[in-house]
Amino acid sequence: MAPGPIDKSQVPQATVPRLARYLRVLHRLEREGVPKVSSKELAERLDANAAQIRKDFSYFGEFGVRGVGYEVEYLIDQLSRCLGVSEKWKVIILGAGKLGSALARYRGFQEEGFELVGVFDSSQRVAGSDIDGVTVRPERELPEFLQENPVDIAILTVPGEVAQLVADKVIAGGVRGIVNFAPARLASVDGVFIRQVDLSTELMVVSFYLSKECSPR
Amino acid sequence: MAPGPIDKSQVPQATVPRLARYLRVLHRLEREGVPKVSSKELAERLDANAAQIRKDFSYFGEFGVRGVGYEVEYLIDQLSRCLGVSEKWKVIILGAGKLGSALARYRGFQEEGFELVGVFDSSQRVAGSDIDGVTVRPERELPEFLQENPVDIAILTVPGEVAQLVADKVIAGGVRGIVNFAPARLASVDGVFIRQVDLSTELMVVSFYLSKECSPR
């Protein structure tokens, strides 16, 4: 039976960051010349749970063979394609404040298929300046830019009050993926994937696990 | 039957950020004078799924009454305590680079019970400078500082190569929660909760959903 394409809506969102981790470890194994790996070995490498790993992989068809393990190269190929790492993604950053500039300078993601093609800011003061070779453009040029340069993913590091406005603009310009660092929840739009990242929430996830006081009363 | 305390290890990690969102919306409802809310109304406010909301709340005992909904104030009280928002948490930032400074300046989280008590950096050049009233201290003073000032949560914004080293230091100093922005996976330690945040992974989560090519071959 030839397995069909994967229905991504069936993959829990919490699984996807783990797939990215698996891929990084598999690349390391490949460099070490390891051809096969069991879920147990992967779990040890990742400081994770073997059953969880098997479950995560199960969304992508039958990969492992009991007693033999997973083929590293095959798994890299599968995960790379599923995570879109074998494709090239054009990325822009909206907001050249402290966080936006920090992200623009952090080019680690460039190696993983994400190319920063533009940085935009609404402030006259910042527009025209240069971040490691990428010119900061005035935000009013955004619609025209998007018409001439199709962009896949926008990273939002604007103030919370204007986040929705800026999101509307990039979506109107054809952007289908948003990573939102602004402390404001964006309205969902069909066909657009929005990932919210926010420090307050991250801190609360930690305090949830640290907090002792949690019982229904 | 009096419900017992909640076993947090039973709550999926993906649920916790949603609880933080629910809490914010509930606070808004409280300000609007709304005493009761159904999962359906909450879902509309949150642009989320009502069944998901009911499932998330179910980890915390029987909250809702069919046809009547959830009591807003009761829910706020429950979630605040579970998320540790009613407690005060001492936070330090390790690494006063672009990202560390941006996070230090972003004080939104202070309103949610997180108090920034120190910023540390290994560079002589940065130590002694001031970020909105918080002095950047040399990293070598960290062990002594932690002895005199118990800290709950450390935010790591150091380079990936030194992240584990710095994590070891804060854990040795009694810190039990870490939000790691450094592009390096930290080893898990019993009794310490580590939350990894990293731009590459966030971008991959987006490209996973944008990518068309994903079928087993």
Side-chain angles (χ1 to χ4, degrees):
Chain A
M1 188 188 79
I6 285 143
D7 180 1
K8 290 187 183 179
S9 67
Q10 294 305 306
V11 181
Q13 209 182 116
T15 301
V16 186
R18 287 198 294 269
L19 299 178
R21 286 186 63 199
Y22 302 155
L23 182 57
R24 290 196 193 106
V25 167
L26 288 164
H27 272 302
R28 219 171 302 145
L29 287 168
E30 191 188 33
R31 283 195 298 273
E32 292 168 15
V34 178
K36 286 199 166 102
V37 65
S38 69
S39 55
K40 194 166 163 281
E41 287 164 319
L42 267 180
E44 275 162 21
R45 286 260 185 169
L46 282 156
D47 203 2
N49 181 288
Q52 175 80 74
I53 292 174
R54 285 193 299 272
K55 198 189 165 196
D56 288 346
F57 285 164
S58 74
Y59 293 109
F60 303 91
E62 288 290 330
F63 285 168
V65 176
R66 195 175 291 268
V68 179
Y70 298 88
E71 278 192 54
V72 171
E73 233 177 289
Y74 179 76
L75 213 44
I76 286 177
D77 180 60
Q78 291 283 352
L79 289 180
S80 297
R81 287 188 305 120
C82 284
L83 288 167
V85 177
S86 36
E87 299 171 49
K88 288 277 161 224
W89 303 99
K90 305 276 186 194
V91 177
I92 54 173
I93 294 177
L94 281 301
K98 285 261 167 196
L99 182 57
S101 318
L103 296 179
R105 275 196 184 80
Y106 168 60
R107 297 293 175 82
F109 56 85
Q110 308 256 15
E111 293 150 29
E112 285 165 330
F114 302 96
E115 188 196 352
L116 182 65
V117 296
V119 178
F120 293 85
D121 199 280
S122 64
S123 158
Q124 290 288 359
R125 203 170 39 79
V126 183
S129 65
D130 176 286
I131 301 177
D132 282 4
V134 179
T135 306
V136 180
R137 295 163 199 267
E139 201 187 288
R140 59 181 152 71
E141 291 178 10
L142 183 60
E144 204 188 320
F145 179 89
L146 290 174
Q147 242 172 15
E148 287 163 17
N149 309 274
V151 165
D152 304 294
I153 301 173
I155 300 175
L156 263 58
T157 57
V158 294
E161 310 86 73
V162 297
Q164 186 64 59
L165 208 78
V166 173
D168 292 345
K169 277 188 202 169
V170 298
I171 292 168
V175 172
R176 295 177 302 138
I178 293 176
V179 180
N180 181 27
F181 284 89
R185 180 66 47 169
L186 301 176
S188 66
V189 174
D190 272 349
V192 178
F193 181 80
I194 298 170
R195 175 90 174 163
Q196 179 79 30
V197 188
D198 113 60
L199 182 62
S200 285
T201 304
E202 298 304 334
L203 282 168
M204 271 196 212
V205 172
V206 176
S207 65
F208 173 82
Y209 288 100
L210 297 187
S211 158
K212 282 191 191 77
E213 237 205 301
C214 182
S215 52
R217 45 177 181 201
Chain B
M1 190 187 78
I6 286 144
D7 181 1
K8 290 187 182 179
S9 66
Q10 294 305 306
V11 180
Q13 209 182 116
T15 301
V16 187
R18 286 198 295 268
L19 299 178
R21 288 185 63 198
Y22 302 155
L23 183 57
R24 288 195 194 108
V25 167
L26 288 164
H27 273 302
R28 220 172 301 147
L29 288 168
E30 190 188 35
R31 282 195 298 272
E32 293 169 14
V34 178
K36 286 199 165 99
V37 66
S38 69
S39 56
K40 193 165 163 283
E41 288 165 317
L42 267 179
E44 275 162 21
R45 286 261 185 170
L46 282 156
D47 204 0
N49 180 288
Q52 174 80 74
I53 292 174
R54 284 194 298 275
K55 199 191 165 195
D56 288 346
F57 285 166
S58 73
Y59 294 109
F60 303 91
E62 286 292 328
F63 285 167
V65 176
R66 195 176 290 268
V68 179
Y70 298 87
E71 278 192 56
V72 170
E73 233 178 289
Y74 178 77
L75 214 44
I76 287 177
D77 180 60
Q78 291 283 350
L79 290 179
S80 298
R81 286 188 304 118
C82 284
L83 289 167
V85 177
S86 37
E87 299 170 51
K88 288 278 160 223
W89 303 98
K90 304 278 186 194
V91 177
I92 53 173
I93 293 177
L94 282 301
K98 285 263 167 195
L99 182 57
S101 318
L103 296 179
R105 275 198 183 80
Y106 168 60
R107 295 294 175 82
F109 57 84
Q110 307 257 14
E111 293 150 29
E112 285 165 331
F114 301 97
E115 189 196 353
L116 183 65
V117 296
V119 178
F120 294 84
D121 200 280
S122 63
S123 158
Q124 289 288 359
R125 203 169 40 78
V126 182
S129 65
D130 176 286
I131 301 177
D132 283 4
V134 178
T135 306
V136 180
R137 296 163 198 267
E139 201 186 288
R140 60 182 151 72
E141 290 178 11
L142 183 61
E144 204 188 320
F145 180 89
L146 290 174
Q147 243 172 14
E148 287 163 16
N149 308 275
V151 164
D152 303 294
I153 301 172
I155 301 174
L156 263 59
T157 58
V158 294
E161 310 86 73
V162 297
Q164 186 63 58
L165 208 78
V166 173
D168 292 345
K169 276 189 202 170
V170 297
I171 292 168
V175 172
R176 294 176 303 139
I178 293 176
V179 181
N180 182 26
F181 284 88
R185 182 65 47 167
L186 302 175
S188 67
V189 174
D190 271 348
V192 177
F193 181 79
I194 298 171
R195 175 90 174 164
Q196 179 80 30
V197 188
D198 112 61
L199 182 62
S200 285
T201 304
E202 298 304 333
L203 283 169
M204 272 197 211
V205 172
V206 176
S207 65
F208 173 83
Y209 288 100
L210 296 188
S211 158
K212 282 192 191 74
E213 235 205 302
C214 182
S215 53
R217 45 177 181 202

